[in-house]
Amino acid sequence: MSQRQVLQVFEQYQKARTHFVQMVAELATRPQNIETLQNAGVMSLLRPLLLDVVPTIQQTAALALGRLANYNDDLAEAVVKGDILPQLVYSLAEQNRFYKKAAAFVLRAVGKHSPQLAQAIVDCGALDTLVICLEDFDPGVKEAAAWALGYIARHNAELSQAVVDAGAVPLLVLCIQEPEVALKRIAASALSDISKHSPELAQTVVDAGAIAHLAQMILNPDAKLKRQILSALSQIAKHSVDLAEMVVEAEIFPVVLTCLKDKDEYVKKNASTLIREIAKHTPELSQLIVNAGGVAAVIDCIGSCKGNIRLPGIMMLGYVAAHSENLAMAVIISKGVPQLSLCLSEEPEDHIKAAAAWALGQIGRHTPEHARAVAVTNTLPVLLSLYMSTESSEDLQVKSKKAIKSILQKCTYLPALEPFLYDAPPNILKHVVGQFSKVLPHDSKARRLFVTSGGLKKVQEIKAEPGSLLQEYINSINNCYPEEIVRYYSPGYSETLLQRVDSYQPLAN
């Protein structure tokens, strides 16, 4: 066989390998092919090609493995069991930028599925190599490495700590300052994933100077970047008063309020979440948000969207109102109650209704004035029907019941209370009758109206245990009226009168 023929054989072999990996990489993009590829044992066929002498074959083999591992955790598990990870980590440090991107993609695809698979990546020493890639001159390599590190960190605090210990945080902070928008997004996302688990991890991100750089990008025109920036700031602010204050000190107000009007729904949601995570900590932080116009802006945002996008805004109003009478009044003045009432009525999801019920309870529980502001929107009957509905989730029933009780215990607006005399179950009825017993002794007009509307008659029909709190309330109400009026409206009184008619002997002429 001549030298030319030998070279032709090698050339054909190389072409066959190239064709094979390219076809597998292409087939792996379509879900319907995955099971067939898996059953054909494609993993073991791709593994030796990671060490091929031809760089393009190595890169394409890594890309194919990444696509397969990305599909489900069984295939990701096969990458781990096939001892492919050490090979990838070794090559990640040695090879060109194309291979590095492909290898980092495989690590990300394996690590995303579960903490156990992410731990396997940590155990094979990948973190140090990925962190080195964050310093690569090629932005694509940095992006691929940041993505893999974020996917490892998102699972739990231990894995996140491992990423921190490998020295990733200062380099991720440098990455958010790079000009490439895609790199900024992934780096911000990774910082968010690290910060979310504990105050200590969030503090590590803060100590690397992340807040100032993140805050400067709140008004970046790229919606996907804004989502990640707002998410990262939220994950930092949520842990403690100190961390929330640091975020506020980066002068995010009032600029963050413009994000509540963004065209992108998730920018709106993440902005609401950030404001919620700050508001929940202290009355002072809530007051700062009120002063910046944050409450009115969040109420407008809730009105402009639907479903889960509304949820953080609804909760934010509840947190603000919970802190004090004045802050709850700020929510009322900004017309928050009608908007929350609307959410309670029109949202199909129980968890959103439950959040609205909780927020309304936080607003109405302070004083009679607060309770009236909620009651006049006709919210109480809606809360009652949600509490009594067998179709409501347990959480919605509990939150509706709590909201009803906390509003009723302050409500002196009797027109809103009266329907409850007819519809409320005994555990709620007790609070309704209690409120009438507080108001009627001091209001003659209300006493008269209570008789003409049928309220007094209804109270006489309530069966209360002798000596119970409910019986005491009924007695207090009855003591507001002449005895003959109370008797007249008592059940059976008409029969008593008829008996007297029957037994009455007319006077003889």
Side-chain angles (χ1 to χ4, degrees):
M1 190 182 276
S2 68
Q3 189 179 0
R4 188 161 168 267
Q5 285 173 313
V6 170
L7 287 172
Q8 276 180 333
V9 169
F10 275 103
E11 203 177 304
Q12 283 171 345
Y13 179 47
Q14 184 175 319
K15 276 182 184 171
R17 297 196 316 276
T18 305
H19 180 67
F20 172 74
V21 288
Q22 283 174 346
M23 282 305 295
V24 172
E26 177 61 30
L27 289 167
T29 59
R30 291 188 283 277
Q32 64 267 31
N33 299 327
I34 300 292
E35 199 176 336
T36 313
L37 288 168
Q38 190 176 0
N39 295 339
V42 76
M43 290 297 201
S44 56
L45 297 171
L46 287 170
R47 187 189 166 198
L49 297 175
L50 289 170
L51 296 174
D52 200 278
V53 290
V54 181
T56 53
I57 293 174
Q58 289 181 1
Q59 292 150 27
T60 315
L63 181 64
L65 276 170
R67 285 175 179 170
L68 290 162
N70 198 41
Y71 185 71
N72 66 32
D73 49 359
D74 286 345
L75 286 160
E77 190 88 47
V79 171
V80 174
K81 286 182 175 161
D83 271 342
I84 292 168
L85 292 179
Q87 238 165 283
L88 283 168
V89 173
Y90 170 76
S91 304
L92 196 60
E94 304 292 322
Q95 297 289 351
N96 65 29
R97 63 199 170 108
F98 301 107
Y99 186 88
K100 285 178 181 176
K101 280 190 266 193
F105 170 54
V106 181
L107 295 174
R108 172 184 119 212
V110 172
K112 79 171 194 179
H113 292 289
S114 70
Q116 293 74 23
L117 288 166
Q119 188 62 53
I121 292 171
V122 174
D123 294 342
C124 73
L127 292 183
D128 292 337
T129 317
L130 285 168
V131 168
I132 290 165
C133 287
L134 289 177
E135 295 184 274
D136 199 276
F137 72 93
D138 183 83
V141 173
K142 287 180 183 172
E143 186 187 326
W147 214 335
L149 289 165
Y151 270 48
I152 293 164
R154 70 174 47 174
H155 290 293
N156 59 42
E158 291 74 23
L159 286 163
S160 207
Q161 189 63 55
V163 171
V164 168
D165 294 343
V169 173
L171 295 171
L172 288 168
V173 173
L174 285 174
C175 286
I176 60 172
Q177 298 168 63
E178 295 282 352
E180 292 81 14
V181 172
L183 178 56
K184 286 178 187 283
R185 280 184 206 149
I186 304 304
S189 174
L191 290 170
S192 178
D193 286 329
I194 292 166
S195 303
K196 72 181 181 183
H197 299 290
S198 71
E200 294 74 24
L201 286 162
Q203 190 64 55
T204 308
V205 172
V206 172
D207 291 344
I211 291 177
H213 297 295
L214 291 166
Q216 283 165 12
M217 288 186 277
I218 285 173
L219 293 181
N220 190 289
D222 184 78
K224 287 180 181 172
L225 175 57
K226 273 191 283 197
R227 289 181 197 175
Q228 301 302 342
I229 296 297
L230 294 164
S231 171
L233 290 170
S234 303
Q235 299 292 9
I236 293 167
K238 75 178 185 182
H239 293 291
S240 70
V241 178
D242 288 346
L243 287 166
E245 284 177 348
M246 284 180 189
V247 171
V248 170
E249 281 162 15
E251 296 180 2
I252 63 163
F253 290 105
V255 288
V256 75
L257 303 181
T258 60
C259 295
L260 295 170
K261 294 183 177 138
D262 202 274
K263 290 196 289 288
D264 186 277
E265 295 281 79
Y266 289 95
V267 170
K268 284 183 182 179
K269 185 183 181 187
N270 290 3
S272 299
T273 304
L274 172 56
I275 298 165
R276 177 192 74 192
E277 297 299 1
I278 293 166
K280 74 181 185 185
H281 289 294
T282 65
E284 291 74 24
L285 284 168
S286 278
Q287 189 63 57
L288 184 144
I289 291 165
V290 171
N291 295 348
V295 167
V298 166
I299 292 165
D300 288 345
C301 178
I302 293 170
S304 71
C305 51
K306 294 274 182 287
N308 275 321
I309 308 296
R310 280 176 157 175
L311 188 58
I314 291 169
M315 292 176 72
M316 176 267 181
L317 295 178
Y319 281 128
V320 170
H323 285 305
S324 72
E325 285 178 26
N326 289 345
L327 286 165
M329 192 50 74
V331 176
I332 292 168
I333 290 164
S334 298
K335 300 191 169 51
V337 174
Q339 193 59 68
L340 288 168
S341 204
L342 204 61
C343 295
L344 194 66
S345 304
E346 70 178 24
E347 280 297 335
E349 297 284 339
D350 277 8
H351 68 284
I352 301 173
K353 285 181 188 284
W358 170 77
L360 287 161
Q362 298 304 323
I363 294 166
R365 71 182 177 84
H366 293 285
T367 70
E369 195 182 352
H370 291 79
R372 180 176 179 140
V374 176
V376 294
T377 60
N378 207 31
T379 297
L380 288 169
V382 180
L383 286 168
L384 183 64
S385 68
L386 291 171
Y387 166 54
M388 295 179 72
S389 170
T390 52
E391 290 177 14
S392 294
S393 67
E394 188 183 346
D395 183 51
L396 177 53
Q397 288 177 334
V398 168
K399 289 203 166 57
S400 297
K401 180 184 172 187
K402 273 190 173 174
I404 291 166
K405 283 188 173 180
S406 53
I407 295 163
L408 285 180
Q409 283 166 351
K410 292 292 178 184
C411 188
T412 56
Y413 180 59
L414 301 187
L417 294 177
E418 205 154 308
F420 276 69
L421 289 172
Y422 301 90
D423 303 328
N427 59 338
I428 302 288
L429 187 63
K430 175 177 69 180
H431 299 288
V432 177
V433 177
Q435 288 308 105
F436 278 108
S437 74
K438 288 177 196 168
V439 176
L440 292 174
H442 312 291
D443 189 336
S444 59
K445 193 177 170 188
R447 286 199 295 274
R448 180 182 176 82
L449 201 61
F450 194 57
V451 173
T452 56
S453 67
L456 184 62
K457 182 175 186 291
K458 183 63 190 168
V459 166
Q460 306 315 311
E461 292 166 7
I462 295 169
K463 291 177 173 62
E465 292 284 324
S468 66
L469 196 57
L470 180 56
Q471 188 60 60
E472 279 181 38
Y473 292 151
I474 293 169
N475 293 343
S476 299
I477 291 170
N478 289 346
N479 289 340
C480 297
Y481 297 95
E483 198 179 330
E484 59 268 27
I485 296 284
V486 175
R487 248 199 335 268
Y488 177 76
Y489 286 107
S490 297
Y493 184 66
S494 54
E495 281 80 17
T496 308
L497 285 178
L498 285 170
Q499 281 170 11
R500 285 177 64 183
V501 168
D502 290 342
S503 60
Y504 182 69
Q505 298 296 324
L507 292 168
N509 286 333

